[in-house]
Amino acid sequence: MKIASIATILFGSAAAFTTTTPFHHETSTVSNTFLKAVELTPEPEGGEELTKVSETSLPGSRMKNMGLVEEDNSDGDIYNFWLTAVAKGDEIKKLRIKTEKEASKKANFPGFRKGQIPPYAQPKMTMFAIQEAVIKTCEASLEAYGLQSLQGSQGEVKVNEDMQEVCKGYKLGNDIPFTATYKGKFDEAVQAASEEGHDTAAMEDVVVDVEAVAE
C-alpha cells in the first residue's frame, strides 16, 4: 500500500507532535514495566472487530470499526477506527540510536564538547524515537487491516495514552503497548483481493474434503 501523507500524532494529554514521516494515515500482551507506569485506556464498547487481510502483519494487534464518521463524510465511506497494538522495543532502540547519531552531528550545546548530547536532551530523543515507532506501527495497521488514511487534519491519529508519562519510566528496549483512534477508509482493492483469497482457500478445502470422501 502506498503511504503518502503527513502524520500528526496526538499523544494523550500531551501536546501534539508533527513529523515528516510519511503516513497514509482484551488488551494485547503487554510488559509489566509499562503497566506499572501507565494503564492502557479502556477499550470502547461496541464496534465491529476487523479481520486482518495479512495474517503475518502486526502480530498481537486488534482493530475495530467504530462506525461511520458523521461530519465531512459526503461519500459515506469514512469510518472511525480503534486500534490496540505494540510498538516493538527493538524498533524503538534502533530509532533511538539513529536519532542520537544524527543529533550528535549538529550538536553544539554551551558547556559541552561539540557533538556531545547533554543529559537534559536525552529524554527528548527517547520521546522522538517512541513517537516514530508508534507512527510506524500505525502505518503497519493500515496494511494489516486493508485501510487507507486520510489527507490533512482528517488523517490525524490520536494515541490515547500519555506518552510523556511512558517516557518517565521507560527502559530502552522494552515494548510499548498503546491504543489509538483514527479516521480512514477501507482500501477496496485490498479488501477485494483478501475476500477472493478467502474464497479460493474455502474452495480448496471443499475439494480436499471431496477427494478424501472419494477415497
Side-chain angles (χ1 to χ4, degrees):
M1 178 185 299
K2 189 175 181 180
I3 298 172
S5 61
I6 302 299
T8 300
I9 300 295
L10 305 177
F11 283 108
S13 61
F17 292 83
T18 304
T19 176
T20 55
T21 301
F23 186 59
H24 222 357
H25 307 283
E26 177 168 298
T27 303
S28 31
T29 303
V30 296
S31 69
N32 291 331
T33 303
F34 180 90
L35 286 176
K36 290 176 183 176
V38 177
E39 292 289 340
L40 288 181
T41 301
E43 177 179 339
E45 295 182 1
E48 178 187 358
E49 192 90 18
L50 298 187
T51 301
K52 290 181 185 177
V53 298
S54 173
E55 292 296 333
T56 58
S57 298
L58 215 60
S61 67
R62 291 175 56 227
M63 179 79 80
K64 289 170 68 174
N65 176 2
M66 302 305 297
L68 282 166
V69 172
E70 296 181 358
E71 298 179 356
D72 300 325
N73 192 11
S74 57
D75 293 334
D77 59 352
I78 300 176
Y79 295 85
N80 292 301
F81 295 101
W82 174 85
L83 168 71
T84 179
V86 177
K88 293 299 184 181
D90 55 352
E91 179 68 18
I92 297 171
K93 190 172 183 178
K94 285 192 293 185
L95 289 166
R96 177 65 174 77
I97 293 171
K98 180 181 177 181
T99 300
E100 185 164 1
K101 282 183 177 180
E102 292 178 352
S104 64
K105 295 176 182 178
K106 302 178 181 179
N108 191 11
F109 294 88
F112 293 87
R113 297 192 311 274
K114 187 174 181 179
Q116 184 178 5
I117 308 296
Y120 63 79
Q122 298 290 338
K124 293 181 180 179
M125 288 191 290
T126 299
M127 181 67 182
F128 180 80
I130 291 173
Q131 174 192 354
E132 290 296 296
V134 168
I135 291 170
K136 288 178 180 295
T137 305
C138 289
E139 286 178 334
S141 76
L142 295 169
E143 287 198 37
Y145 294 93
L147 306 177
Q148 290 180 335
S149 71
L150 306 178
Q151 300 293 328
S153 61
Q154 276 199 312
E156 289 179 352
V157 177
K158 181 179 179 181
V159 175
N160 299 314
E161 290 68 42
D162 188 337
M163 289 295 156
Q164 289 185 348
E165 287 298 314
V166 174
C167 284
K168 289 179 182 178
Y170 180 68
K171 182 179 178 181
L172 193 61
N174 282 355
D175 293 347
I176 294 182
F178 67 93
T179 65
T181 57
Y182 59 79
K183 300 173 184 177
K185 299 181 179 182
F186 287 99
D187 188 320
E188 295 180 1
V190 173
Q191 295 290 336
S194 176
E195 290 178 9
E196 184 178 339
H198 288 312
D199 291 343
T200 301
M203 288 297 295
E204 289 175 350
D205 289 341
V206 171
V207 171
V208 170
D209 289 343
V210 170
E211 290 176 348
V213 171
E215 291 176 357

